[in-house]
């Protein structure tokens, strides 16, 4: 059995795959589940660090501390070389990522009962859009982190290609497949020829007709749902006495996972208190200040995610915002959500159209569209991609596990 694994370090969830005959490749990482939410909570009350579901539970139970999510979004940005204060000490963001990936490796090895020395790491088609230098830096950073936690042999694979390998393991004939991987931070696509015969080849470059991606994903859908429907309850769009609108930057920070903690600074608190004196609707600013005082921004982001998930299968849902003061019960409509994300979905749609053009492939030549990634259930997104390929069969893969499973297969090909 190989000492090589596949590591899917995701924006929202992470998995590790290990290819074993007759068994599921995905290793159990937390409470019998194969996914580990990409979340870290520094519990100041207990002076302990928690990961995954335990981290979210600690935060929601009200422990004092620092919650951090969407860690992958730091790769390729200037923030990766910055630092933050956690439990009274300075913590570089690079160290934070190293700690999480080290924990991911440790849990995988515990579940497998062996050490993993080789890994195929999943990566988006673009860590950073339209910036090759930043994209290369992001991969190099992830490589260095993987080395530092104990992997000696490391390779990379595009995440949609990994999902293609997982789908291919179920085929009994050749297909031309579009993989649509809509993750937490990016939307990635690959057009691949797949078959049982092609699966035996180590070098698959000739089977990959084109790949493309855009830095838009599920956390962006959460963000714009929040800005459109939730943040107005806290004062977004309301006016000052002179007719100007309250600055939107505070609300954008609260709606964006990796900037929520900026809302908790003393500087932000004093700025909002200053704005409060000239606000026409002080009740909404009272809500905002109360939310910041109780550091409930992450809770609010989780509620936006809850709404997005529900609207993928329902036309409306009642969202209970019981931590607001006063509490609110907000009726969310799918129509309003789709309006909020329309421009984002249009950018993703354009990415798929350009991919087909670059590959020189007619839409009618594509046999199957495989949807994977936790945010691929968004109805408007599926409809737009489906409309581009009207004759293609639509298949839903393992939304959270297909990439890790495919990376495990690739690890066997590359490392034996």
């Amino acid at each position: 059995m190989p000492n090589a694994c596949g590591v899917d370090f995701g924006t929202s969830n992470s998995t590790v795959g290990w290819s074993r005959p007759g068994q599921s490749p995905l290793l159990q990482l937390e409470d019998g589940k194969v996914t580990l939410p990409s979340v870290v909570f520094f519990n100041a009350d207990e002076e302990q660090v928690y990961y995954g579901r335990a981290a979210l539970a600690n935060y929601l139970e009200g422990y004092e501390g620092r919650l951090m999510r969407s860690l992958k979004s730091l790769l390729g940005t200037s923030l990766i070389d910055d630092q933050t204060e956690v439990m009274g000490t300075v913590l570089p963001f690079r160290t934070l990522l190293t700690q999480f990936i080290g924990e991911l490796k440790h849990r995988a090895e515990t579940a497998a009962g062996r050490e993993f020395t080789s890994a195929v790491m999943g990566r988006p088609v673009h860590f950073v859009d339209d910036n090759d230098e930043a994209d290369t830096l992001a991969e190099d950073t992830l490589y260095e982190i993987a080395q530092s936690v104990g992997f000696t042999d490391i390779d990379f694979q595009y995440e949609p290609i990994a999902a293609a390998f997982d789908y291919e393991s179920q085929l009994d004939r050749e297909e031309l497949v579009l993989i649509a991987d809509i993750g937490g931070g990016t939307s990635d696509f690959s057009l691949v020829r797949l078959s049982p015969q092609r699966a035996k080849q180590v070098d698959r470059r000739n089977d990959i007709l084109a790949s493309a991606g855009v830095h838009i994903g599920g956390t962006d859908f959460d963000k714009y749902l929040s800005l459109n429907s939730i943040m107005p309850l806290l004062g977004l769009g309301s006016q000052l006495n002179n007719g100007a609108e309250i600055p939107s930057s505070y609300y954008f920070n609260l709606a964006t996972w990796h900037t929520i903690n900026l809302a908790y600074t003393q500087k932000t608190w004093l700025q909002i208190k200053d704005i409060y004196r000239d606000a026409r609707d002080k009740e909404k600013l009272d809500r905002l200040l109360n939310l910041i005082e109780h550091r409930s921004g992450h809770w609010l982001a989780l509620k936006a995610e809850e709404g997005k998930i529900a609207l993928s299968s329902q036309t409306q849902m009642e969202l209970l915002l019981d931590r607001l003061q006063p509490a609110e019960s907000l009726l969310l409509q799918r129509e309003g959500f789709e309006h909020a994300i329309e421009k984002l979905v249009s950018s993703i749609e354009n990415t798929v159209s350009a991919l087909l053009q670059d590959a020189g492939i007619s839409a009618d030549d594509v046999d199957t569209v495989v949807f994977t990634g936790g945010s691929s259930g968004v109805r408007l997104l599926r409809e737009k991609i489906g409309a581009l390929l009207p004759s293609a069969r639509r298949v839903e893969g393992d939304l959270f596990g297909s990439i890790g499973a495919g990376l495990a297969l690739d690890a066997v090909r590359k490392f034996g």
Side-chain angles (χ1 to χ4, degrees):
M1 298 236 282
N3 284 333
C5 65
V7 179
D8 177 22
F9 169 47
T11 302
S12 300
N13 291 279
S14 296
T15 62
V16 178
W18 178 41
S19 189
R20 298 161 290 170
Q23 297 186 58
S24 167
L26 296 176
L27 294 165
Q28 295 181 0
L29 302 176
E30 184 181 23
D31 298 333
K33 297 178 176 62
V34 298
T35 57
L36 180 69
S38 303
V39 186
V40 182
F41 183 68
F42 295 90
N43 187 318
D45 291 335
E46 299 178 354
E47 296 186 351
Q48 289 191 40
V49 182
Y50 291 87
Y51 299 89
R53 293 169 187 82
L56 290 170
N58 265 247
Y59 168 73
L60 293 173
E61 285 170 14
Y63 285 100
E64 284 294 321
R66 181 80 179 270
L67 184 77
M68 306 197 74
R69 194 184 182 193
S70 294
L71 310 177
K72 188 177 180 180
S73 300
L74 297 168
L75 292 169
T77 73
S78 58
L79 280 174
I80 193 64
D81 292 317
D82 284 349
Q83 54 195 25
T84 187
E85 185 176 327
V86 174
M87 296 193 299
T89 62
V90 172
L91 179 71
F93 285 119
R94 188 182 294 261
T95 301
L96 174 65
L97 264 69
T98 302
Q99 288 177 350
F100 182 82
I101 292 175
E103 179 70 15
L104 193 60
K105 181 176 186 286
H106 169 70
R107 292 186 182 214
E109 290 174 336
T110 300
R114 66 171 55 213
E115 181 184 13
F116 291 120
T117 56
S118 304
V120 176
M121 308 285 295
R123 58 151 293 168
V125 175
H126 300 297
F127 281 104
V128 182
D129 292 342
D130 303 318
N131 189 331
D132 291 342
E133 184 177 342
D135 191 80
T136 300
L137 177 62
E139 184 176 294
D140 289 347
T141 301
L142 191 53
Y143 184 92
E144 291 164 4
I145 289 172
Q147 272 193 321
S148 70
V149 301
F151 290 118
T152 54
D153 298 302
I154 304 158
D155 205 347
F156 288 89
Q157 183 59 269
Y158 287 152
E159 289 156 358
I161 298 297
F165 293 156
D166 180 51
Y167 175 68
E168 184 178 51
S169 67
Q170 309 161 38
L171 291 180
D172 59 7
R173 61 186 175 85
E174 182 165 311
E175 290 185 8
L176 179 58
V177 178
L178 176 72
I179 302 292
D181 171 26
I182 317 299
T186 60
S187 294
D188 295 301
F189 304 91
S190 289
L191 194 59
V192 195
R193 293 196 188 279
L194 303 173
S195 74
Q197 291 73 34
R198 294 176 185 273
K200 299 173 185 177
Q201 301 171 10
V202 174
D203 188 347
R204 301 299 301 276
R205 282 176 292 184
N206 291 335
D207 296 333
I208 302 168
L209 305 189
S211 292
V214 61
H215 206 265
I216 297 171
T219 55
D220 299 292
F221 299 149
D222 300 342
K223 173 180 178 177
Y224 281 91
L225 173 62
S226 181
L227 291 170
N228 183 70
S229 301
I230 301 175
M231 291 300 172
L233 298 174
L234 307 179
L236 177 61
S238 60
Q239 293 182 330
L240 303 172
N241 288 326
N242 64 5
E245 283 194 0
I246 292 175
S248 62
S249 59
Y250 307 115
Y251 303 98
F252 273 79
N253 282 341
L254 273 174
T256 306
W257 268 105
H258 61 276
T259 58
I260 290 173
N261 285 299
L262 296 177
Y264 302 152
T265 64
Q266 184 71 10
K267 178 181 177 182
T268 297
W269 177 263
L270 293 174
Q271 287 175 347
I272 296 175
K273 291 286 282 187
D274 189 50
I275 290 168
Y276 180 87
R277 288 193 289 271
D278 293 322
R280 290 182 179 177
D281 195 337
K282 287 183 167 53
E283 182 181 353
K284 291 181 177 179
L285 268 292
D286 282 330
R287 276 185 177 148
L288 176 63
L289 287 167
N290 182 269
L291 183 91
I292 291 172
E293 182 181 6
H294 291 91
R295 295 180 173 245
S296 294
H298 297 86
W299 163 81
L300 198 64
L302 289 168
K303 298 301 287 187
E305 183 181 39
E306 178 187 331
K308 174 197 68 180
I309 292 170
L311 293 175
S312 295
S313 58
Q314 304 166 209
T315 57
Q316 63 181 35
M317 68 92 64
E318 198 82 25
L319 190 67
L320 178 61
L321 300 172
D322 53 348
R323 290 197 183 185
L324 295 186
Q325 296 295 327
E328 282 280 348
S329 184
L330 183 63
L331 181 64
L332 296 179
Q333 305 274 0
R334 182 188 289 167
E335 183 179 359
F337 171 51
E338 291 181 345
H339 176 72
I341 65 170
E342 191 173 10
K343 290 183 179 179
L344 301 177
V345 172
S346 180
S347 294
I348 295 171
E349 186 182 8
N350 291 338
T351 300
V352 177
S353 295
L355 172 73
L356 295 171
Q357 288 183 346
D358 291 345
I361 292 293
S362 165
D364 291 335
D365 293 331
V366 179
D367 298 305
T368 307
V369 181
V370 176
F371 290 98
T372 188
S375 296
S376 65
V378 172
R379 189 66 60 92
L380 180 64
L381 186 66
R382 288 204 180 200
E383 288 175 354
K384 293 293 186 181
I385 294 174
L388 292 173
L389 303 162
S391 61
R393 186 169 65 104
R394 301 184 195 182
V395 172
E396 182 173 294
D398 182 339
L399 298 187
F400 298 100
S402 62
I403 293 173
L407 290 171
L409 291 171
D410 204 32
V412 172
R413 289 195 192 98
K414 291 177 174 177
F415 299 118

